[in-house]
Amino acid sequence: MKRQSVKQNNRRFIVDFLRNHEEVPITHITKAVRVSTPTVKKVLDHYMNLGLVIMTGKGESTLEGGKRPELYRLNQEYGYAIALHVGPDFIYGGMTDLKLQNVQSFHEIVDRPVSDEEMVDKLVSIAKDFRKSKWAEGKKLVNVVIALPGIVNAYTGESIYSPHYPQWQENFPFIRKFAERFDMDIPIFLDGVNRLQACAERMKGKARGKQDFLIVDAMEEGVGAGIIVQGTIMHGFNNLSGEIGHVIVDPRGPDCICGGTGCFEAAVSVKHINELLRQGYDTHRGSAIYQGKSPADVSIRDLFIHAKQGDAYAIELLDLIAAYFANGLNNVIMISDPELIIIQGIYVEAGQGFIENIKKKLSELSLPRVKREFDIVYTDFGIERGALGAGCYGISQFFEEQELYR
Ligand SMILES: [Zn+2]
């Protein structure tokens, strides 16, 4: 616990209260924060001078009649964070205001090898365009947050290793290069995208109010996790925390790009499932999956659709995938003991039955007689989730700055 003066504490509580509410009369604040009206008034005046709080007019008068109270709210357009997400084959960017609204988005497909230096240049140019945009005029840019794939050192700001961009140097000093070219004295943050996605779930998604949870994101090839324990994002000694794509779910399973065998991501990746579907044609030609399609055109989405419609082979295959998920998740559950697991990525389309199946299988794995209470849900976020996570993290860091409460 950081030592803070009473004044700083009051300021912080009041700012936090306004972050979590829309426009409110002063009496709501005094009641929630339990300080006197003159103190609250003084704090509000301080932040109105800064431009962080605004008065929005008058509310309803009380039942007893009397004056209509002034209403206050956080000026969400006071400042913003620039969020940049480098995906396996795309760049997604946005500006996030103080109430976590994504204001303007940028999306670009990356369809050729891009070097580390070139990627920095691209991101700097996108960020500069955001800064020059009409909306950003007169607003304070509070920080820039970059979400990267692969293994990232958030403390040194380096990209350690990126399987999707093998041409990048190892331990490439991403933040230093970005800061030099962006040329503005503000904080620049960098982290692995899955960790930032967990931040988005916590601040505006399915994990609001949760201290112990994780997100699992399964994409075309990789599977990653962002693990939050007691409210803190896990990084680990080697920055490997959350690399659950390489926990073993089946020792006799498929080979993995990492050199291992039977890794979670090798087993459930879209690439592997598509392979299974192609092979399945020889033995399950009658399955509805293959009706009207050549085996080469069948995809994981056909599997989801036909499993829901009751096709025996589709159900069998999805059951195998659920077993892989249960094994993979069981390993993480026994280490981090989450109350909630949020599934992101392609499996969001697999339907509620898929989650129920994973839960059932999990209940039969470790410690079947001990209470292991947790829920598994699908995310509400789509492809924007990486940039959303970066933006949420940026805004949370802005409100963590001690200067704001001095
Ligand atoms: Zn692996």
Side-chain angles (χ1 to χ4, degrees), residues 245-246 256-261 263-266:
H246 304 284
C256 181
I257 42 165
C258 76
T261 302
C263 294
F264 194 178
E265 74 173 40

Side-chain angles (χ1 to χ4, degrees), residues 143-161:
N143 51 44
V144 177
V145 186
I146 303 168
L148 290 186
I151 298 166
V152 165
N153 187 330
Y155 301 102
T156 61
E158 293 168 325
S159 162
I160 297 176
Y161 169 71

